[in-house]
């Protein structure tokens, strides 16, 4: 991201977060022209069944970890049937290679998968939570933290002027910087949930901004439109979502369940399906996944990057700059090494797990140095 305003990170009132599937292709990747990609996508679309097309628009979680309700336990068989185009909560080189191998070697068309994972303030190298990073008053340092790494549900009532002048510019900046996908928010804007919001997803993103990536829902945000009172049932929610130009359904399975019948019942044109599948396949070609489905499952890169000394040093720097000293009574700090006795008090004093913070990706408690151990190491 490129100097995004802080409030945009905390107030996901409109479009929500950027998905992390879009990564820069290695220099050795063969760069296809847009015309070549169009031709390849046309060829692939011409031989795909309706069910296989909808499969590309379907994202399920794996059983590796869970960040929400897990409602599908047969995701691997659905991959083999060509009915899943992306998987969430799947990481590590060995695991992603295994899943990718299933997709490209055990399916009719051999289309590779996309992988996604929630990375809010760190993957394995964990940084301070966004509120803590804010306390550093250093936007450039926060940007570095985000580079190393990759509000809650609400209703939002705001004027279009406030929307366009305050909340939309950070997302536009992110797209201009090269982000290739957008995740819809759970939130609603002026009575319309983001996942079914044509004004946001179609008019602004595609017509005004000429966005050529794809849009993915947040975790089960399609059926949550029923809770919002905007859709009467799962079929209606799927219809409203695809009509709003939302390309990929994360975890609900409602696209997989209802889109084929909506096409056959002539409630939506198959062109809606082709439009979304095209965007997803184009992204897979741009990422070089058809050339080498395992290009991002690099064992050596994993060893070099995960918890590297450089990344950990950066996390330590951000954490140090995020500390806010409210009162330094009697010049207690910095601690002197000649202290005879020192009490370290409180529930976090010697707790590794809670130091990770909330929603901490694949962070592991055993990697943390507790406050007590850190002080012992220093003084």
């Amino acid at each position: 991201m490129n100097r995004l305003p802080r409030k945009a990170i905390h107030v996901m009132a409109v479009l929500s977060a950027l998905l992390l599937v879009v990564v820069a292709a290695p220099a050795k990747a063969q760069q296809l022209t847009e015309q070549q990609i169009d031709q390849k996508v046309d060829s692939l679309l011409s031989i795909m069944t309706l069910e296989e097309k909808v499969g590309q628009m379907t994202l399920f979680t794996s059983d590796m970890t869970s960040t929400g309700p897990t409602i599908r336990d047969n995701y691997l068989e659905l991959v083999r049937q060509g009915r899943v185009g992306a998987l969430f909560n799947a990481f590590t080189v060995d695991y992603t290679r295994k899943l990718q191998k299933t997709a490209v070697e055990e399916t009719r068309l051999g289309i590779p998968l996309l992988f996604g994972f929630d990375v809010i303030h760190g993957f394995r190298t964990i940084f301070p939570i966004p509120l803590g990073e804010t306390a550093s008053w250093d936007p450039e340092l926060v940007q570095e933290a985000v580079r190393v790494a990759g509000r809650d549900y609400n209703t939002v009532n705001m004027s279009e002027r406030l929307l366009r002048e305050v909340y939309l510019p950070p997302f536009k900046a992110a797209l201009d910087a090269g982000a290739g996908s957008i995740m819809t928010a759970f939130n609603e804007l002026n009575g319309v949930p983001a996942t079914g919001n044509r004004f946001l997803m179609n008019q602004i993103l595609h017509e005004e901004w000429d966005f050529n990536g794809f849009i993915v829902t947040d975790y089960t945000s399609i059926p949550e439109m029923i809770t919002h009172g905007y859709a009467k049932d799962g079929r209606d929610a799927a219809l409203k979502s695809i009509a709003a130009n939302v390309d990929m359904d994360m975890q609900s399975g409602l696209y997989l369940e209802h889109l084929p019948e909506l096409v056959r019942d002539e409630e939506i044109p198959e062109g809606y399906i082709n439009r979304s599948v095209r965007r997803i396949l184009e992204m897979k070609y741009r990422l070089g996944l058809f050339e080498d489905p395992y290009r991002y499952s690099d064992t050596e890169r994993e060893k070099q990057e995960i918890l590297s000394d450089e990344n950990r040093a950066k996390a330590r720097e951000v954490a140090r700059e995020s500390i806010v000293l409210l009162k330094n009574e009697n010049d207690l700090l910095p601690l002197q090494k000649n202290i005879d006795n020192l009490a370290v008090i409180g529930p976090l004093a010697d707790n590794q797990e809670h130091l990770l913070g909330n929603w901490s990706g694949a962070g592991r408690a055993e990697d943390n140095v507790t406050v007590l151990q850190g002080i012992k190491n220093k003084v």
Side-chain angles (χ1 to χ4, degrees):
M1 291 187 288
N2 191 15
R3 295 183 180 273
L4 302 188
R6 167 60 53 185
K7 66 173 64 176
I9 298 176
H10 292 298
V11 187
M12 298 170 70
V14 185
L15 300 177
S16 190
L18 297 174
L19 191 63
L20 53 84
V21 296
V22 181
V23 291
K28 64 180 181 180
Q30 178 185 353
Q31 297 298 318
L32 296 173
T33 66
E34 289 302 309
Q35 183 178 8
Q36 289 174 318
I37 291 176
D38 284 342
Q39 292 172 346
K40 289 180 178 294
V41 171
D42 285 339
S43 177
L44 196 50
L45 278 171
S46 69
I47 60 173
M48 294 177 74
T49 66
L50 180 57
E51 283 71 19
E52 287 170 331
K53 292 176 183 177
V54 175
Q56 288 300 302
M57 302 166 64
T58 300
L59 167 63
F60 282 138
T61 185
S62 81
D63 56 5
M64 186 174 196
T65 186
S66 178
T67 53
T70 301
I71 58 177
R72 299 279 171 174
D73 57 6
N74 61 336
Y75 68 94
L76 201 55
E77 183 55 35
L78 290 172
V79 171
R80 293 190 180 98
Q81 295 171 12
R83 302 181 70 194
V84 175
L87 284 174
F88 192 61
N89 292 326
F91 55 93
T92 76
V93 166
D94 290 342
Y95 192 50
T96 56
R97 286 186 70 91
K98 173 186 173 182
L99 295 172
Q100 197 70 288
K101 183 179 177 67
T102 300
V104 300
E105 297 185 16
E106 299 181 33
T107 64
R108 186 176 80 91
L109 298 176
I111 300 175
L113 296 166
L114 291 174
F115 297 104
F117 190 66
D118 272 350
V119 178
I120 308 301
H121 58 103
F123 173 60
R124 276 290 303 279
T125 304
I126 305 301
F127 290 79
I129 63 173
L131 181 62
E133 292 180 349
T134 303
S136 71
W137 298 97
D138 190 339
E140 292 185 0
L141 186 63
V142 173
Q143 184 176 355
E144 292 179 30
V146 172
R147 183 177 292 113
V148 173
R151 229 147 88 175
D152 291 327
Y153 317 161
N154 210 338
T155 57
V156 180
N157 204 358
M158 69 171 70
S159 68
E160 187 171 339
R161 177 179 177 181
L162 182 63
L163 171 70
R164 290 185 178 275
E165 292 186 357
V166 177
Y167 294 105
L168 289 184
F171 294 99
K172 182 62 164 62
L175 297 182
D176 289 343
S181 63
I182 282 285
M183 178 186 288
T184 66
F186 291 114
N187 309 327
E188 66 174 42
L189 174 67
N190 300 335
V192 182
T195 302
N197 199 311
R198 296 191 193 193
F199 170 64
L200 292 176
M201 304 306 162
N202 190 53
Q203 179 178 322
I204 293 180
L205 264 180
H206 286 292
E207 295 179 7
E208 297 182 20
W209 294 357
D210 197 28
F211 176 59
N212 66 352
F214 68 87
I215 301 172
V216 59
T217 74
D218 206 339
Y219 208 96
T220 67
S221 67
I222 294 182
E224 289 192 18
M225 289 197 292
I226 304 171
T227 306
H228 277 290
Y230 187 71
K232 63 182 180 181
D233 53 29
R235 178 186 173 100
D236 187 43
L239 188 153
K240 284 182 165 64
S241 182
I242 190 64
N245 234 323
V246 173
D247 304 303
M248 185 179 288
D249 167 22
M250 183 189 294
Q251 188 60 9
S252 80
L254 291 182
Y255 270 10
L256 199 64
E257 183 176 355
H258 294 296
L259 289 191
E261 67 184 45
L262 285 169
V263 171
R264 295 187 180 108
D265 292 345
E266 299 185 347
E267 293 190 47
I268 59 171
E270 189 168 353
Y272 280 11
I273 309 299
N274 292 339
R275 175 187 65 190
S276 291
V277 177
R278 173 176 293 279
R279 293 169 183 154
I280 295 164
L281 292 176
E282 285 175 348
M283 188 59 64
K284 293 183 178 184
Y285 274 111
R286 291 184 189 126
L287 289 169
L289 291 176
F290 281 92
E291 178 190 5
D292 179 6
Y294 310 107
R295 69 179 320 109
Y296 302 106
S297 299
D298 187 325
T299 303
E300 289 306 311
R301 181 181 173 212
E302 183 179 50
K303 291 178 181 177
Q304 293 172 7
E305 293 291 333
I306 302 300
L307 283 181
S308 68
D309 291 342
E310 181 181 2
N311 287 348
R312 291 180 68 124
K314 181 59 64 176
R316 184 183 180 92
E317 179 187 359
V318 177
R320 182 169 56 245
E321 295 299 320
S322 298
I323 295 173
V324 177
L325 179 62
L326 300 180
K327 184 178 182 181
N328 192 16
E329 189 170 358
N330 298 324
D331 294 324
L332 176 64
L333 298 178
L335 296 176
Q336 304 299 313
K337 289 191 175 183
N338 60 0
I339 293 176
D340 291 327
N341 294 288
L342 178 66
V344 183
I345 299 170
L348 299 182
D350 199 27
N351 186 301
Q352 287 182 296
E353 181 178 357
H354 290 166
L355 289 178
L356 288 172
N358 192 32
W359 215 261
S360 50
R364 297 179 183 176
E366 60 265 28
D367 296 327
N368 290 337
V369 177
T370 68
V371 175
L372 176 63
Q373 189 58 51
I375 292 175
K376 285 182 176 180
N377 294 343
K378 190 69 176 178
V379 302

